[in-house]
């Protein structure tokens, strides 16, 4: 079966510290992968998407970066976190059925203090 | 610009009654419209979708209606149950890229 794993579930980091969030997908190959952020009281904002290894598209200018070192691995990073980076980060992948849209991971709650 | 809008941040209904969640869009390049349900501290889960060539899709208690001329869609939940209390996101799929554009979400509270 196809599953998506995202970790950690929660993270508290000081301002200026680095960040690394990891997402892996199992049971499929060459998925389209996405990083979304849900800021407090706001909708889901697409940050990055990837259609293959090493292929990253950025949707909004920001303090974050993404990488895809392996087919089913997607990493969200930052060299120096800002307070405004706090939010709920979600990884997602596109299923075979277009009418199902994306399947999301369980999310990471990041609080920058 | 916000291509997909959910203008009601919250909605409260009584158990057993109908819940109607609304969504408006501006882009004509969407080929699918989807509804997701999200509980706190969890990822959104797919609920129901509709193709842009249809005007209604039904799945159990959930029905989605699409009015293309008005660029409006709605999700009807009948009868509403307390377990339906969650944030509901409307999303639209861009036909050329497959990307989903999400609305801001509507928090539904179903009171027992």
């Amino acid at each position: 079966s196809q599953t998506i794993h995202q970790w950690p579930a929660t993270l508290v980091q000081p301002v200026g510290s680095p960040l690394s969030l990891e997402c892996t997908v199992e049971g499929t190959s060459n998925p389209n992968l996405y990083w979304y952020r849900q800021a407090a009281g706001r909708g889901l904002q697409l940050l990055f998407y990837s259609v293959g290894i090493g292929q990253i598209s950025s949707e909004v200018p920001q303090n974050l970066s993404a990488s895809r070192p392996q087919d089913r691995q997607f990493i969200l990073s930052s060299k120096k976190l800002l307070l405004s980076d706090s939010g709920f980060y979600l990884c997602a992948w596109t299923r075979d059925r277009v009418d199902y849209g994306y399947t999301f991971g369980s999310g990471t709650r990041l609080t920058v203090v | 610009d916000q291509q997909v809008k959910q203008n009601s941040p919250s909605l409260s209904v009584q158990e057993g009654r109908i819940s109607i969640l609304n969504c408006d869009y501006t882009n004509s390049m969407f080929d699918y419209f989807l509804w997701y349900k999200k509980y706190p501290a969890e990822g959104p889960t797919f609920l129901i979708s509709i193709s842009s060539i249809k005007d209604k899709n039904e799945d159990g208690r959930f029905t989605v209606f699409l009015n293309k001329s008005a660029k409006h869609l709605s999700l009807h939940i009948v009868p509403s149950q307390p377990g339906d209390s969650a944030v509901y996101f409307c999303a639209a799929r861009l036909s050329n890229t497959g990307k989903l554009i999400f609305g801001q979400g509507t928090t539904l509270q179903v009171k027992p």
Side-chain angles (χ1 to χ4, degrees), chain A:
Chain A
S1 64
Q2 299 153 334
T3 57
I4 180 168
H5 301 280
Q6 190 179 341
W7 67 92
T10 59
L11 195 57
V12 180
Q13 293 283 98
V15 169
S17 65
L19 173 73
S20 180
L21 302 181
E22 189 163 343
C23 171
T24 60
V25 180
E26 295 178 0
T28 188
S29 60
N30 197 32
N32 288 350
L33 297 172
Y34 306 85
W35 278 111
Y36 277 85
R37 176 172 61 199
Q38 182 187 17
R42 301 182 66 180
L44 298 174
Q45 182 185 36
L46 178 61
L47 302 176
F48 301 95
Y49 71 96
S50 171
V51 298
I53 296 175
Q55 300 179 61
I56 308 295
S57 295
S58 174
E59 288 294 298
V60 292
Q62 59 203 305
N63 184 42
L64 302 168
S65 62
S67 62
R68 186 168 176 176
Q70 300 180 41
D71 180 44
R72 289 169 291 175
Q73 184 185 30
F74 205 21
I75 298 172
L76 184 69
S77 305
S78 174
K79 292 182 180 179
K80 289 185 178 182
L81 284 168
L82 306 173
L83 286 174
S84 57
D85 292 324
S86 294
F88 192 58
Y89 289 84
L90 291 154
C91 180
W93 70 283
T94 308
R95 289 185 59 173
D96 295 338
R97 287 184 57 168
V98 66
D99 57 337
Y100 273 34
Y102 301 165
T103 297
F104 285 88
S106 52
T108 296
R109 169 69 61 193
L110 172 66
T111 304
V112 183
V113 296

Side-chain angles (χ1 to χ4, degrees), chain B residues 40-110:
Chain B
E42 294 183 11
T45 55
F46 170 77
L47 197 56
I48 191 170
S49 67
I50 187 168
S51 165
S52 61
I53 63 173
K54 296 187 176 182
D55 54 20
K56 178 182 175 181
N57 188 27
E58 188 173 356
D59 183 3
R61 296 186 297 115
F62 303 92
T63 303
V64 56
F65 295 92
L66 177 62
N67 182 334
K68 286 185 286 295
S69 60
K71 289 189 169 65
H72 177 84
L73 69 153
S74 60
L75 174 68
H76 293 210
I77 306 174
V78 182
S80 300
Q81 300 173 354
D84 295 329
S85 298
V87 178
Y88 288 79
F89 287 100
C90 165
R93 181 183 182 272
L94 284 167
S95 58
N96 55 344
T97 64
K99 288 191 287 185
L100 293 186
I101 309 298
F102 284 85
Q104 308 95 311
T106 297
T107 300
L108 172 66
Q109 182 185 25
V110 180

